[in-house]
Amino acid sequence: MPKIDNAIIMAAGFGTRMRPLTYKTPKPLVKVGGKPMIELVIDALHENEINDISVVVGYLAAQFDYLPQKFPGVQLINNPYYDHYNNISSLYVARDQLHNTVILDGDQLIMNPTILGRDFTHSGYVGSQINSWSDEWIMHVDEHNVVTSCDRNGNDHGWRLYSLSKWTVADSSKLKQYLVQEFEDRQNRDIYWDDVVMFEHFADFTLTMIPINPGDIIEVDSIEQLATINQRLKGWLD
């Protein structure tokens, strides 16, 4: 059984949905309960003994410079394309870090750190089951939780895809190859990196859906939501 060796945290984006707060602060450094979200992500990784962590930065990158000093094992990877292209560019610049790897965003709350457990069997994305309309990406699976298709524009049933995925060495090797193919050769740069495996080269991967509960991950998408979460989680970090 493979074990997660390292993590790649995506933290290069503008965080436009949380402006004006993110005009001066990168979204992953916005505080929840008095602590930057990305530090909470790193803490959750450390709880699972994942200490080799690459953080891909771009927007206001200098503000992340303290992380390697505060958290030994953290390295920063600069994405020079962050202001021109979609997040395929972030995984492209970090592609050499793909091994037995967990990939996740730096602007989310991991409420249940056990979902980052190092033991896993197949590459795939975490997902929570839905029974009403969601405009998120929705995975459909067979009886073995193998992903059979994904709806980019939402659905009212299936499994909501979260930006937390685990990759075996073998699939990481293919993913690296396809990142280069899409980004360099085809110059297909306005897509999410997840498009590479879910749509552009879906047939070349056998992805699983790793079930989680809806509250295991909280994605913070607005200032109003941030205020609500801060109130709800008051004392959570005490």
Side-chain angles (χ1 to χ4, degrees), residues 210-231:
I210 306 163
I212 64 171
N213 296 315
D216 287 347
I217 296 176
I218 297 177
E219 296 180 344
V220 184
D221 291 325
S222 69
I223 292 176
E224 294 75 19
Q225 186 186 15
L226 176 66
T228 300
I229 291 170
N230 265 322
Q231 184 61 33

Side-chain angles (χ1 to χ4, degrees), residues 152-221:
R152 192 196 306 269
N153 298 313
N155 208 319
D156 59 4
H157 66 282
W159 296 81
R160 177 190 170 181
L161 181 150
Y162 289 87
S163 53
L164 193 164
S165 56
K166 299 179 180 183
W167 300 87
T168 65
V169 166
D171 284 333
S172 285
S173 179
K174 289 191 287 185
L175 179 52
K176 282 192 281 188
Q177 172 190 337
Y178 290 136
L179 285 166
V180 171
Q181 184 180 114
E182 295 299 329
F183 195 82
E184 293 184 9
D185 302 339
R186 297 181 179 175
Q187 297 196 12
N188 193 11
R189 298 172 175 177
D190 293 324
I191 60 174
Y192 295 107
W193 77 261
D194 311 273
D195 279 298
V196 174
V197 294
M198 274 295 179
F199 298 104
E200 301 295 333
H201 301 279
F202 181 74
D204 292 335
F205 294 88
T206 301
L207 301 176
T208 60
M209 185 280 303
I210 306 163
I212 64 171
N213 296 315
D216 287 347
I217 296 176
I218 297 177
E219 296 180 344
V220 184
D221 291 325

